[in-house]
Amino acid sequence: MRGKALKSCAIVAIGLMMAAASADLAAAQAAKGPSGLPLPRFVTLKSKRVNLRIGPSADYAVSWLYLKQGLPVEIIQEYDNWRRVRDADGTEGWVNQSLLSGQRSAIAAPWMKGKGKAVFVNMRRESQPSAAVIAKLQPGVMMTIKECTGDWCLATADGTEGWVAQSEIWGAYPGEAFK
């Protein structure tokens, strides 16, 4: 009898921990920075040359130079007119907000780079797993995003437009929907 009571208590405790974790996740997703915009959030680089600095000022040293306009980055912190960003490789640093755009782009499965030539992300005609494949994107291919449903994103890569699974790109959060 005591064993059943302990199991019941353990199940209740696990349920409470899961509820608290999901509440923390919801609160983190609803966090807003000083700009009033959500943190974290995805944006793109507006310029062809963007300095990534070690601190939030032009007085800080440049740690990296991005040379790709439209590259997706994730804003994880705000300070005055500076944004702490993270790229798909996990590199973090500070960028002036004037060099960032609210347009959206994504990278096809960057975590799968170097895993072989048979690894790719399917771009489909419709937002369904059974829809016809219209392109096969290699990991690391950049695409622009028009909208996401929470499961699928309408994207354009090298002139081809189609739907990619949201779970196979870096540039949109799981479950995030926007137009």
Side-chain angles (χ1 to χ4, degrees), residues 8-114:
S8 295
C9 287
I11 290 171
V12 168
I14 290 170
L16 289 173
M17 287 190 308
M18 290 176 61
S22 65
D24 288 344
L25 179 61
Q29 290 174 342
K32 293 191 180 192
S35 67
L37 297 171
L39 285 179
R41 67 181 180 277
F42 282 104
V43 296
T44 56
L45 301 182
K46 192 187 291 187
S47 178
K48 289 182 182 179
R49 296 178 58 90
V50 175
N51 290 327
L52 185 73
R53 297 187 177 273
I54 62 171
S57 163
D59 295 334
Y60 285 95
V62 173
S63 61
W64 193 256
L65 174 64
Y66 291 107
L67 299 172
K68 183 75 173 168
Q69 183 177 7
L71 186 75
V73 292
E74 181 182 30
I75 295 177
I76 57 175
Q77 187 179 353
E78 297 179 347
Y79 177 78
D80 197 25
N81 62 343
W82 291 85
R83 304 296 179 255
R84 184 172 179 87
V85 300
R86 177 180 13 222
D87 66 19
D89 295 326
T91 302
E92 293 183 12
W94 293 88
V95 173
N96 190 285
Q97 71 175 0
S98 66
L99 299 170
L100 301 172
S101 167
Q103 293 182 335
R104 299 293 291 267
S105 68
I107 298 174
W111 55 88
M112 297 301 288
K113 280 189 208 176

Side-chain angles (χ1 to χ4, degrees), residues 161-178:
E161 182 176 278
W163 292 89
V164 292
Q166 211 157 322
S167 61
E168 295 182 335
I169 62 171
W170 191 87
Y173 298 109
E176 180 185 17
F178 62 88

Side-chain angles (χ1 to χ4, degrees), residues 3 6 20 30 41 58 79 85 92 122 125 130 132-133 137 150 153 160:
L6 286 175
R41 67 181 180 277
Y79 177 78
V85 300
E92 293 183 12
N122 289 327
R125 188 170 316 282
S130 60
V133 174
L137 308 175
C153 292
T160 302

